[in-house]
Amino acid sequence: MKKKYVYFFGEGDASMKLLLGGKGANLAEMTRIGLPVPPGFTITTEACTHYYKNNQTWPEGLAEEVEENLKRLEEKTGKKFGDPQNPLLVSVRSGAPASMPGMMDTILNLGLNDQVVEGLAQLTGDRRFAYDCYRRFIQMFGGVVMGIGHDEFEAILSEVKREVGAKSDADLDANALIKVVERYKELYKKATGEDFPQDPKEQLYRAINAVFESWNNKRAITYRRLNNIPEDWGTAVNIQVMVFGNMGFDSGTGVGFTRNPSTGEKEYYGEYLLNAQGEDVVAGIRTPKPIIEMQKDLPEVFEELKKVYEILEEHYRDMQDFEFTIEKGKLYILQTRTGKRTAQAAIKIAVDMVKEGLIDEKTAVRRVEPEQIDQLLHPRIDRSQPLKVVAKGLPASPGAAYGKVVFDADEAERLGNNGEKVILVSPETTPDDIHGMAAAQGVLTSRGGMTSHAAVVARGMGKPCVAGCEAIKIDLDKRIFSVNGVVVKEGDYITIDGSTGEVILGQVETIPPQLSPDFQTLLSWADKFRRLGVRANADTPADARKALEFGAEGIGLCRTEHMFMAQERLPWVQKMIMAQSPEERKEPLSKIGPMQKGDFKEIFQVMEGKPVTIRLIDPPLHEFLPSLEELLVEVTTLRVKGVTGPELEEKEKLLRVVQGMHENNPMLGLRGCRVGILYPDIVEMQVKAIMEAACELSQEGVKVIPEIMIPLVGHRNEIKVLKEKLDEVAREVIDKYQVDVNYSFGTMIEVPRAALVADQIAEYAEFFSFGTNDLTQMTFGYSRDDAEGKFLFFYEENGILEENPFQVIDQEGVGQLMRMGVEKGRSSRPDLKCGICGEHGGEPKSVKFCHEIGLDYVSCSPFRVPISRLAAAHAALGSEEKKKFDV
Amino acid sequence: MKKKYVYFFGEGDASMKLLLGGKGANLAEMTRIGLPVPPGFTITTEACTHYYKNNQTWPEGLAEEVEENLKRLEEKTGKKFGDPQNPLLVSVRSGAPASMPGMMDTILNLGLNDQVVEGLAQLTGDRRFAYDCYRRFIQMFGGVVMGIGHDEFEAILSEVKREVGAKSDADLDANALIKVVERYKELYKKATGEDFPQDPKEQLYRAINAVFESWNNKRAITYRRLNNIPEDWGTAVNIQVMVFGNMGFDSGTGVGFTRNPSTGEKEYYGEYLLNAQGEDVVAGIRTPKPIIEMQKDLPEVFEELKKVYEILEEHYRDMQDFEFTIEKGKLYILQTRTGKRTAQAAIKIAVDMVKEGLIDEKTAVRRVEPEQIDQLLHPRIDRSQPLKVVAKGLPASPGAAYGKVVFDADEAERLGNNGEKVILVSPETTPDDIHGMAAAQGVLTSRGGMTSHAAVVARGMGKPCVAGCEAIKIDLDKRIFSVNGVVVKEGDYITIDGSTGEVILGQVETIPPQLSPDFQTLLSWADKFRRLGVRANADTPADARKALEFGAEGIGLCRTEHMFMAQERLPWVQKMIMAQSPEERKEPLSKIGPMQKGDFKEIFQVMEGKPVTIRLIDPPLHEFLPSLEELLVEVTTLRVKGVTGPELEEKEKLLRVVQGMHENNPMLGLRGCRVGILYPDIVEMQVKAIMEAACELSQEGVKVIPEIMIPLVGHRNEIKVLKEKLDEVAREVIDKYQVDVNYSFGTMIEVPRAALVADQIAEYAEFFSFGTNDLTQMTFGYSRDDAEGKFLFFYEENGILEENPFQVIDQEGVGQLMRMGVEKGRSSRPDLKCGICGEHGGEPKSVKFCHEIGLDYVSCSPFRVPISRLAAAHAALGSEEKKKFDV
């Protein structure tokens, strides 16, 4: 059988990319499924390879096939190549099996010549348009086929613009463009020694050869080498009829979406312009109409369009964004692709399509990007209204809120208790401000970074926070702040957007977070497919409730020190710290113990039946004391003023203690399990409180699963010593209550050494939880507080680091340690439970990595639990790798 | 042939440990080589195994062999078992092939009974001694053979002491001891139901069985199980004649050394007492005489002794420490072992023995412990004089020095320039004090740890320093310090010992460091055997000279920031830091550049032909500014006093800058290559200075090998960006000078991530230098400054950590990263040069590890270069592993 070198659109299909090229196969497919694609044909890649194997000659029969197909085009359109009365114009495009920059792109309007251009002017009634088409054609043909420099054409264009006083191309009228065409032809003759070809067939044949040639230009060759694309694939050539939307008011152009990309509703969505070309829509000079109005303008076309909507959805089974042109009442679909959509729409479309039987649940889950749904989990600003943005700080905790400005925590609490909405504005916050933060809608600070107290606490509370907004100058005495010339007084309304860092004047309405039924449905499907468990980091019963609501299966990190910071407890905590001996510590510990027990009981009650990982005290104890700087200023002030007596003495004593505990690098100092080893009575008190809470609830029939986590272990002996001591405490409590509680001891893996010797540590630890915040800090040697402002943003901006390793796990370095930790840990304890409780546990790429290295669960802020559930499902389903080549 | 179960001493030799046990083989060997060992015989381990395999019975013929050998003993000594006139007494000892705690140790004086004890009293003329021997024998026999508790015997002894009013055992006279013997026998009868056996043979047979039995007591079984000692080895039994040095003035006892253990001289060294038992020498009641005097006291014995010296040296080829007893003019050697010696003696003995042909050079090198020679490299206190030690601080920098107390650096410099010796005493030191430290003999601080400024700088300068000596209370106003009730005024002499931390009143003479010709010889041999190169960490020409003197082959770490701290430079450095733009930095950089160039030139000149690794600026820039605390106090003081105007404004401006640069964890902040990336002009200035210095010297014909080291790299892009930029600077300089300089760029591996991705970093780094100080800090998460005082010492004391990881490389954790770093680095650059420049480079165990993982060199403080040379040789020779069992 004679080899077939040309396929008319529709003769092939999407599977024939290697033969028809990506573009050709796609056009064939669209035609095949019944879309009104402007007709055309594809010369196969085999023709191209033959061309190269045979001294740049066409295979036998190709010319005839091209002729035949050209005829078919003429028949199908009723137009004729080179006929000024009803001219057939075509585009010629290359189309390799893999998308390949550097190859010839497109020649439009092929078939125009000095006569045909006049015909086109008549047909469209737009002479300017016709000549603009012609001058573009000459420029593309001259450049692509004959190698005439782009600059030389542009020089002529500029020259003419100067001559006629036009500022832009759009200012050139028909006459000016006729002048351009003349000079282009002169240039063409000068450069090639011949006239611009007037025979459309000659134009076509030379264009086809130019496409073949472009397979072997330098950029294409380099690209193929770099991307391992076989030399012998070759390129196809697509020849397609040009259609025009500007042939009168029975013509037009537009864009359609098969569903509403903003709400996800299934409706005829899109817009169009009559008697217009695609550029007119883009230029925005004329306002397009909603597509539904076409029902009145062109009812028949609208009926056809409805069929197109159906075909597209039926075939692609996803929301499509397509371009169309109407030429004299005939609808043509030029292009279709998967449409972008809002998070809300993504969810609705995915869930609806499952209901409609178009896709299965797995596909639905894959269709929604985990990162995208974050926007649904916090109040958003309604951006349909004008906003008076006066400053921008760090987007420290997502969400938006408005409220009256207050400058101290007590006032925030007072107003908050009265039901008023307030925004706490402060240079920075301290543990003393927590009650105020809890009562406020949001927090704005002028100092501090992404891990400042305000940022961390706000994220934990799920409240919006803009931190480190240095543009605002706070005057606490006058109770005002000024920002870029505006003065804001206490009581004035502001709005903050913690997702963007914006500070906005006045009261901007917000859109509440939506956990719609569709969202719930989608997440329930995600839960079916994921292997990773998802827990939440929660320090309070309120957090725990929020976590449950968002679908957490347990608490992966309950920090006990936040409990220490509560205002009424701090004095006892400070007494505990100031104590010089275990004897002196007894009283404060006896006060704190029952408070902690109460906390644990509440949390256990909320989390009934689910595991709760409680971390023993972690921060350096001096964090609970006033700061050294503050005390230095106070003591110096008293001294210089000549104040003596108990007032000074007490401050001096405190200063001495704080100086004695001062550390140059507290991150690497006396904290974590080191505190427990030096002051066992403190952690014994904590374990006793945990176990008593658990036992008392167990007696009431509440199932409690406490997992006691010893932080910052780096050496086997650290966990050995503590576990032995604390297990004894636990057993004593159980003996006392005579109930059975399923408790376990484990550790954070957050010091690099812990990962390196994880096999030894797992001899004592029953579970690991990767503390990737600290692990990242120590593996990189970056103190997050210092690094982010001082050099990390610079590193990201300048490409030293691709991503902020505190946001996305650094798989090469930190991830290597994690992988090692899991493998070594399980080598000595095969059933070792491994999780992560760093902030990365709520970041999709990191969740995927956690899945890959075999963690059992991720734990993240309650507000990110849905994201992690979805990300875990994506990881398990094998995220569809973005293929490099669309082959 | 009948199996032989008993070997008379000398019938076996050292190789027969499995049969004769360790002790038996050793006694056989000593006898065999002609030493006058008290005669005896060994019952083989096979007898013991037979005993167990056959229901605790002796093998056939054993009883006869024991009888025969006992006869031989009687013949050899002319004494008779059980003969009160001339009694033969023996000791019975167990002796397994492996030393084994828990087995029966020794029964002495076996053969005593109620008659023989009287004979012994006559023979020795010491009735007290005789009965003391008897009561001890009963106690040992009763305990070991019959299982009577030690306490029960001790109770009797205490009882009698009470009765006669004796305070100690020594106060008991003969009559009292007779009473003790009576009561012991009563106890024996009560406990066993029989009289204490009076028949020496019965005593012996029962003792032999007791040794056999002890092989299977509980402690012995447990020990064998834990140490994998085969059950079926069994123990041998050694029966040896007792000899007594207290049988008149032709008897005596003493200790000999074959060479002087303190100087190493080959001489008859040792001491003895006539008419005395070993205990008398130990008790120190009588003063022993130097062994050489025996020439007069007992000339014939002395001649024999001389032969013993010869035999021992000839046979053991090492200095021996032996015990001897003379019984009635006859010399017996009881024991010999390798003698302990001072560092000086170790070196001299090793070198002399090579000269004498006794050992080879490898053995000589192995004989000297690297750690031991540290004492030779610093001045030592002459401890022959009484010392008034008034306090003890941290031994922060080794060596001893005395001088007049001064309380400030300027005064120290003034007096120092006048040729006076001074000790700088200060609460702590700062960069401003460096000139005073340089002029002082030593430094004493009341605050700060092993890595305080004073400690680090003093170690670098090789000056003694006692740091953190909290007992001394310094009153800078009165210019005194008080310590434990003593007041020391400025100008008073004190002496400090930085090796022990002692502070001593007055002027104590010191012994200067000795790098004797023997020492040089030994080190030159070490150099022949080692594979590791040894470099020094040196920041100044003086350091570099010292390093060369001690044999350094290059500089492994030249820190440039110490150059920044020089008093006259600091103002320019501070201007550089305060600059707000590259423009503003230009002037200060133009001042600092030539200074640095001058420094480098001097160092290169000294190190001609040897590589010099220069580290670009490393510490956070704020280290060069006044401290935040200091400024806060100053500004507060001015404010409270109401001072206004430029004085306050300037301080406030400085405070703002310092606050702006303040970091919570500067160790993990903006330092190392991060500074270079943010402020490229600073490191460009440094590279320019290095290369100009190198080029100018090259023009003069001096060979310079600069290795430019970029610190704190953790990501490939950091070194990529800097190397590309700085290499350009280097090439520009070379082009300008038109000379060829062999320079290279490398990095520190000191961030855990750097080791994890060493393959990527080695694509750009031409050499690695492991910065194990920082690597240890980050791998463990220990800030050294904070950790040592706050918990690390506690960890060591309580066995959480076996060793301080800042002193000895933590092979499991940090070492794992180092190994990974070397392997990965060389996987992408096979000829990658790898070294270490942390303090571990001068610590022998760590040097051994560096050898094992294939580093090319170690670099350490100049004063530890000889230690590292020796340690490297030990590593290469394969340190003779201390065998667990001496089999």
Side-chain angles (χ1 to χ4, degrees), chain B residues 275-300:
Chain B
N275 195 20
Q277 280 286 86
E279 294 118 77
D280 302 324
V281 182
V282 177
I285 301 165
R286 290 161 60 192
T287 306
K289 297 181 189 179
I291 217 156
I292 203 77
E293 291 185 21
M294 205 195 286
Q295 224 162 349
K296 283 178 290 175
D297 286 342
L298 297 166
E300 280 163 33

mmCIF file of all heavy atoms in Angstrom, chain B residues 275-300:
data_model
loop_
_atom_site.group_PDB
_atom_site.id
_atom_site.type_symbol
_atom_site.label_atom_id
_atom_site.label_comp_id
_atom_site.label_asym_id
_atom_site.label_seq_id
_atom_site.Cartn_x
_atom_site.Cartn_y
_atom_site.Cartn_z
ATOM 1 N N ASN B 275 65.337 -5.417 106.228
ATOM 2 C CA ASN B 275 64.507 -6.038 107.266
ATOM 3 C C ASN B 275 63.069 -5.483 107.244
ATOM 4 O O ASN B 275 62.574 -4.947 108.232
ATOM 5 C CB ASN B 275 65.135 -5.820 108.655
ATOM 6 C CG ASN B 275 64.511 -6.759 109.700
ATOM 7 O OD1 ASN B 275 63.914 -7.781 109.346
ATOM 8 N ND2 ASN B 275 64.626 -6.404 110.972
ATOM 9 N N ALA B 276 62.453 -5.641 106.117
ATOM 10 C CA ALA B 276 61.100 -5.068 105.982
ATOM 11 C C ALA B 276 60.301 -5.883 104.975
ATOM 12 O O ALA B 276 60.859 -6.565 104.116
ATOM 13 C CB ALA B 276 61.197 -3.624 105.514
ATOM 14 N N GLN B 277 59.006 -5.790 105.133
ATOM 15 C CA GLN B 277 58.089 -6.409 104.183
ATOM 16 C C GLN B 277 57.570 -5.313 103.235
ATOM 17 O O GLN B 277 57.644 -4.117 103.566
ATOM 18 C CB GLN B 277 56.883 -6.995 104.933
ATOM 19 C CG GLN B 277 57.148 -8.340 105.592
ATOM 20 C CD GLN B 277 57.205 -9.477 104.566
ATOM 21 O OE1 GLN B 277 58.285 -9.735 103.982
ATOM 22 N NE2 GLN B 277 56.088 -10.146 104.340
ATOM 23 N N GLY B 278 57.026 -5.747 102.126
ATOM 24 C CA GLY B 278 56.501 -4.794 101.145
ATOM 25 C C GLY B 278 55.588 -3.735 101.747
ATOM 26 O O GLY B 278 55.674 -2.549 101.411
ATOM 27 N N GLU B 279 54.755 -4.152 102.718
ATOM 28 C CA GLU B 279 53.826 -3.197 103.307
ATOM 29 C C GLU B 279 54.543 -2.015 103.949
ATOM 30 O O GLU B 279 54.039 -0.903 103.975
ATOM 31 C CB GLU B 279 52.966 -3.858 104.395
ATOM 32 C CG GLU B 279 52.001 -4.915 103.894
ATOM 33 C CD GLU B 279 52.328 -6.270 104.497
ATOM 34 O OE1 GLU B 279 51.991 -6.505 105.670
ATOM 35 O OE2 GLU B 279 52.951 -7.080 103.776
ATOM 36 N N ASP B 280 55.738 -2.299 104.501
ATOM 37 C CA ASP B 280 56.471 -1.231 105.173
ATOM 38 C C ASP B 280 56.875 -0.133 104.190
ATOM 39 O O ASP B 280 56.920 1.044 104.539
ATOM 40 C CB ASP B 280 57.730 -1.799 105.844
ATOM 41 C CG ASP B 280 57.363 -2.909 106.845
ATOM 42 O OD1 ASP B 280 56.299 -2.768 107.495
ATOM 43 O OD2 ASP B 280 58.104 -3.897 106.927
ATOM 44 N N VAL B 281 57.191 -0.553 102.964
ATOM 45 C CA VAL B 281 57.556 0.459 101.949
ATOM 46 C C VAL B 281 56.322 1.309 101.630
ATOM 47 O O VAL B 281 56.375 2.533 101.618
ATOM 48 C CB VAL B 281 58.086 -0.226 100.664
ATOM 49 C CG1 VAL B 281 58.496 0.813 99.641
ATOM 50 C CG2 VAL B 281 59.236 -1.154 100.995
ATOM 51 N N VAL B 282 55.213 0.597 101.456
ATOM 52 C CA VAL B 282 53.989 1.305 101.084
ATOM 53 C C VAL B 282 53.528 2.234 102.214
ATOM 54 O O VAL B 282 53.121 3.361 101.993
ATOM 55 C CB VAL B 282 52.857 0.293 100.754
ATOM 56 C CG1 VAL B 282 51.561 1.021 100.430
ATOM 57 C CG2 VAL B 282 53.280 -0.595 99.589
ATOM 58 N N ALA B 283 53.624 1.729 103.465
ATOM 59 C CA ALA B 283 53.108 2.507 104.601
ATOM 60 C C ALA B 283 53.838 3.826 104.783
ATOM 61 O O ALA B 283 53.271 4.794 105.299
ATOM 62 C CB ALA B 283 53.222 1.678 105.880
ATOM 63 N N GLY B 284 55.077 3.881 104.317
ATOM 64 C CA GLY B 284 55.814 5.154 104.383
ATOM 65 C C GLY B 284 56.263 5.542 105.776
ATOM 66 O O GLY B 284 56.534 6.710 106.039
ATOM 67 N N ILE B 285 56.314 4.555 106.674
ATOM 68 C CA ILE B 285 56.769 4.888 108.033
ATOM 69 C C ILE B 285 58.290 5.021 108.060
ATOM 70 O O ILE B 285 58.839 5.935 108.648
ATOM 71 C CB ILE B 285 56.298 3.815 109.035
ATOM 72 C CG1 ILE B 285 54.763 3.740 108.994
ATOM 73 C CG2 ILE B 285 56.781 4.126 110.447
ATOM 74 C CD1 ILE B 285 54.196 2.510 109.653
ATOM 75 N N ARG B 286 58.915 4.100 107.394
ATOM 76 C CA ARG B 286 60.369 4.199 107.283
ATOM 77 C C ARG B 286 60.707 4.741 105.898
ATOM 78 O O ARG B 286 60.018 4.490 104.929
ATOM 79 C CB ARG B 286 60.993 2.815 107.484
ATOM 80 C CG ARG B 286 60.877 2.315 108.926
ATOM 81 C CD ARG B 286 61.067 0.813 108.997
ATOM 82 N NE ARG B 286 62.368 0.420 108.498
ATOM 83 C CZ ARG B 286 62.723 -0.848 108.234
ATOM 84 N NH1 ARG B 286 61.863 -1.825 108.423
ATOM 85 N NH2 ARG B 286 63.919 -1.136 107.776
ATOM 86 N N THR B 287 61.804 5.490 105.835
ATOM 87 C CA THR B 287 62.179 6.069 104.535
ATOM 88 C C THR B 287 63.114 5.122 103.792
ATOM 89 O O THR B 287 64.199 4.789 104.284
ATOM 90 C CB THR B 287 62.874 7.425 104.721
ATOM 91 O OG1 THR B 287 62.021 8.251 105.500
ATOM 92 C CG2 THR B 287 63.180 8.072 103.393
ATOM 93 N N PRO B 288 62.699 4.682 102.617
ATOM 94 C CA PRO B 288 63.562 3.754 101.871
ATOM 95 C C PRO B 288 64.832 4.445 101.368
ATOM 96 O O PRO B 288 64.875 5.671 101.238
ATOM 97 C CB PRO B 288 62.694 3.326 100.697
ATOM 98 C CG PRO B 288 61.336 3.895 100.942
ATOM 99 C CD PRO B 288 61.496 5.043 101.879
ATOM 100 N N LYS B 289 65.823 3.641 101.077
ATOM 101 C CA LYS B 289 67.081 4.175 100.557
ATOM 102 C C LYS B 289 67.123 4.012 99.040
ATOM 103 O O LYS B 289 66.574 3.047 98.503
ATOM 104 C CB LYS B 289 68.253 3.367 101.120
ATOM 105 C CG LYS B 289 68.417 3.437 102.619
ATOM 106 C CD LYS B 289 69.639 2.586 102.966
ATOM 107 C CE LYS B 289 69.782 2.388 104.457
ATOM 108 N NZ LYS B 289 70.953 1.542 104.761
ATOM 109 N N PRO B 290 67.864 4.898 98.359
ATOM 110 C CA PRO B 290 68.067 4.696 96.923
ATOM 111 C C PRO B 290 68.773 3.372 96.676
ATOM 112 O O PRO B 290 69.655 2.986 97.465
ATOM 113 C CB PRO B 290 68.960 5.861 96.504
ATOM 114 C CG PRO B 290 68.890 6.833 97.619
ATOM 115 C CD PRO B 290 68.551 6.092 98.868
ATOM 116 N N ILE B 291 68.410 2.731 95.621
ATOM 117 C CA ILE B 291 68.872 1.367 95.371
ATOM 118 C C ILE B 291 70.389 1.282 95.266
ATOM 119 O O ILE B 291 70.993 0.268 95.596
ATOM 120 C CB ILE B 291 68.172 0.821 94.095
ATOM 121 C CG1 ILE B 291 67.875 -0.672 94.307
ATOM 122 C CG2 ILE B 291 68.997 1.045 92.857
ATOM 123 C CD1 ILE B 291 66.751 -1.168 93.452
ATOM 124 N N ILE B 292 70.978 2.401 94.839
ATOM 125 C CA ILE B 292 72.427 2.385 94.600
ATOM 126 C C ILE B 292 73.201 2.149 95.909
ATOM 127 O O ILE B 292 74.304 1.618 95.910
ATOM 128 C CB ILE B 292 72.848 3.715 93.897
ATOM 129 C CG1 ILE B 292 74.164 3.527 93.133
ATOM 130 C CG2 ILE B 292 72.887 4.865 94.858
ATOM 131 C CD1 ILE B 292 73.946 2.784 91.820
ATOM 132 N N GLU B 293 72.540 2.488 97.025
ATOM 133 C CA GLU B 293 73.221 2.301 98.308
ATOM 134 C C GLU B 293 73.322 0.842 98.722
ATOM 135 O O GLU B 293 74.059 0.496 99.644
ATOM 136 C CB GLU B 293 72.505 3.116 99.410
ATOM 137 C CG GLU B 293 72.682 4.601 99.196
ATOM 138 C CD GLU B 293 72.097 5.433 100.329
ATOM 139 O OE1 GLU B 293 71.916 4.884 101.431
ATOM 140 O OE2 GLU B 293 71.833 6.624 100.095
ATOM 141 N N MET B 294 72.577 -0.013 98.042
ATOM 142 C CA MET B 294 72.650 -1.432 98.367
ATOM 143 C C MET B 294 74.045 -1.968 98.074
ATOM 144 O O MET B 294 74.463 -2.966 98.655
ATOM 145 C CB MET B 294 71.596 -2.201 97.566
ATOM 146 C CG MET B 294 71.192 -3.521 98.249
ATOM 147 S SD MET B 294 70.319 -4.582 97.155
ATOM 148 C CE MET B 294 68.745 -3.786 97.071
ATOM 149 N N GLN B 295 74.742 -1.265 97.181
ATOM 150 C CA GLN B 295 76.118 -1.600 96.879
ATOM 151 C C GLN B 295 76.940 -1.736 98.173
ATOM 152 O O GLN B 295 77.823 -2.577 98.285
ATOM 153 C CB GLN B 295 76.725 -0.496 96.004
ATOM 154 C CG GLN B 295 77.524 -1.021 94.856
ATOM 155 C CD GLN B 295 77.731 0.060 93.779
ATOM 156 O OE1 GLN B 295 77.116 1.125 93.809
ATOM 157 N NE2 GLN B 295 78.588 -0.222 92.836
ATOM 158 N N LYS B 296 76.632 -0.826 99.140
ATOM 159 C CA LYS B 296 77.358 -0.894 100.408
ATOM 160 C C LYS B 296 76.694 -1.891 101.352
ATOM 161 O O LYS B 296 77.366 -2.699 101.984
ATOM 162 C CB LYS B 296 77.390 0.503 101.058
ATOM 163 C CG LYS B 296 78.411 1.433 100.418
ATOM 164 C CD LYS B 296 78.377 2.815 101.052
ATOM 165 C CE LYS B 296 77.095 3.535 100.680
ATOM 166 N NZ LYS B 296 76.917 4.835 101.337
ATOM 167 N N ASP B 297 75.339 -1.835 101.440
ATOM 168 C CA ASP B 297 74.639 -2.671 102.405
ATOM 169 C C ASP B 297 74.779 -4.171 102.098
ATOM 170 O O ASP B 297 75.063 -4.964 102.983
ATOM 171 C CB ASP B 297 73.136 -2.331 102.426
ATOM 172 C CG ASP B 297 72.864 -1.017 103.131
ATOM 173 O OD1 ASP B 297 73.741 -0.548 103.874
ATOM 174 O OD2 ASP B 297 71.758 -0.458 102.920
ATOM 175 N N LEU B 298 74.498 -4.511 100.851
ATOM 176 C CA LEU B 298 74.491 -5.932 100.486
ATOM 177 C C LEU B 298 75.136 -6.066 99.103
ATOM 178 O O LEU B 298 74.452 -6.267 98.092
ATOM 179 C CB LEU B 298 73.047 -6.465 100.428
ATOM 180 C CG LEU B 298 72.241 -6.448 101.724
ATOM 181 C CD1 LEU B 298 70.758 -6.664 101.434
ATOM 182 C CD2 LEU B 298 72.737 -7.540 102.670
ATOM 183 N N PRO B 299 76.461 -5.939 99.026
ATOM 184 C CA PRO B 299 77.131 -5.869 97.712
ATOM 185 C C PRO B 299 76.826 -7.079 96.834
ATOM 186 O O PRO B 299 76.636 -6.924 95.632
ATOM 187 C CB PRO B 299 78.613 -5.794 98.055
ATOM 188 C CG PRO B 299 78.739 -6.037 99.509
ATOM 189 C CD PRO B 299 77.416 -5.857 100.152
ATOM 190 N N GLU B 300 76.721 -8.249 97.421
ATOM 191 C CA GLU B 300 76.489 -9.414 96.561
ATOM 192 C C GLU B 300 75.075 -9.382 95.969
ATOM 193 O O GLU B 300 74.873 -9.682 94.792
ATOM 194 C CB GLU B 300 76.678 -10.702 97.346
ATOM 195 C CG GLU B 300 78.152 -11.062 97.480
ATOM 196 C CD GLU B 300 78.379 -12.081 98.579
ATOM 197 O OE1 GLU B 300 77.468 -12.929 98.775
ATOM 198 O OE2 GLU B 300 79.415 -11.999 99.252
#
